[in-house]
Amino acid sequence: MVLIKTKKEIPSSEITPEAVYLSRRKFIGQSSAVVAAGALAHSSLALPDSWIEDHGYEPGEEIGEDITPEKHATSFNNFFEFGTRKEDPAAHAHQMTVEPWSIEIKGRVEKPGKLSLEDVLKDIDLEERIYRLRCVEAWSMVIPWIGFPVKRVLDKYKPLSDAKYVKFTTLLRKDEMPGTKNLLSSIEYPYVEGLRLAEAHHPLAIFAIGMYGKVLPNQNGAPFRLVVPWKYGFKSIKSIVKIELTKRQPRTTWNRSAPHEYGFYANVNPEVDHPRWSQANERRLPERLFAPKRIKTKMFNGYDEVASLYEGMDLKKKF
Ligand code: MTE
């Protein structure tokens, strides 16, 4: 079952895949939002919280699974650019300048260009999506994101017919990102991720600009990140500055660093273990000291509606 927050509670029995895309809360009046963002340009955030609040955000009802408390989702993070310990991003990511923010769209598109975040968001309605986030390290959370389908952005710049993949790149600014100066780092920077275009076009794949009703904190990938809920968390690349449409499969950060451990596809799959640990179960965070919450991992993290993207593929080989 997909978790989507709506104004009225919908019995889970009535949540069909179609409802997943259609029963969404929309935030309207986008054009004035852009004005508001401009008026608050002195803020250190690319988008101020009021940008979201002004557009009708109200916490909705929880459906089915408990949402992870915000303090855990914003203090237990993976963002290697700020260090490898879970507490490092919350401690150091405030050093990252996110205002102003621009995103370069290039490669196999009709309309390439470098755009301000406000321009990228123009005419795009926001939605709240409550998704499970399953990390390859076998822990998971449930996070209420605010964002919109990736396809809405890609369509604006018109992918050419030979575009087959989308490559995403994170900001690299060494003087603001202490983790990138670590000479022993297991990964290379900038952080790069990629999807097949058909995956990026799936309605469940979103760009997020907020969570818990507010703009994204820096440690969670402000001001603009990817969220692909049926894949391991490392695909959900943070603080994106470049989107490139390509003909060939891009080389991605974790896949380059350890190809036998981290596949390009990285679909959540309880039947394909990581070489060093099982993927059959996960720890749902936060755990209480003597009460670990171990739950069974579901294929595609429970988002079965994506299965048709992989029809006829051997997912043990294309892991
Ligand atoms: N993006 C960048 N640029 N750098 C990272 O280290 N870590 C990934 C992903 N995106 C990472 C990243 C991993 S491993 C996970 S599990 C998620 O971000 C964690 O997202 P969260 O901290 O918002 O929960």
Side-chain angles (χ1 to χ4, degrees), residues 77-81 133 135 170 191 220 225 233-234 236 238:
N77 300 100
N78 277 330
F79 200 163
F80 274 42
E81 286 86 335
L133 174 81
C135 180
T170 295
Y191 194 101
N220 292 89
R225 72 173 290 176
F234 69 85
S236 291
K238 297 178 168 179

Side-chain angles (χ1 to χ4, degrees), residues 108 158-164 197:
R108 309 302 300 156
K158 300 194 189 307
L160 297 173
S161 59
D162 60 0
K164 295 284 178 292
L197 187 57

Side-chain angles (χ1 to χ4, degrees), residues 217-236:
N218 284 7
Q219 62 267 32
N220 292 89
F224 186 84
R225 72 173 290 176
L226 184 68
V227 181
V228 195
W230 70 94
K231 292 179 179 281
Y232 291 120
F234 69 85
K235 299 295 286 184
S236 291

Side-chain angles (χ1 to χ4, degrees), residues 160-172:
L160 297 173
S161 59
D162 60 0
K164 295 284 178 292
Y165 294 89
V166 195
K167 174 182 169 186
F168 306 94
T169 307
T170 295
L171 176 77
L172 172 56

Side-chain angles (χ1 to χ4, degrees), residues 20 65 136 141 159 200 259:
V20 165
E65 285 170 61
V136 75
M141 299 190 193

Side-chain angles (χ1 to χ4, degrees), residues 17 20 32 35 65 78 89 112 120 166-167 180 202 217 236 253 316:
V20 165
S32 52
V35 174
E65 285 170 61
N78 277 330
V120 174
V166 195
K167 174 182 169 186
T180 62
H202 195 281
S236 291
T253 297
K316 294 202 162 106

Side-chain angles (χ1 to χ4, degrees), residues 45-71:
L45 293 165
L47 301 168
D49 278 342
S50 56
W51 193 89
I52 288 169
E53 284 160 17
D54 287 353
H55 295 88
Y57 175 79
E58 258 175 66
E61 301 293 324
E62 291 183 19
I63 301 172
E65 285 170 61
D66 289 343
I67 292 177
T68 302
E70 182 182 352
K71 67 169 194 277

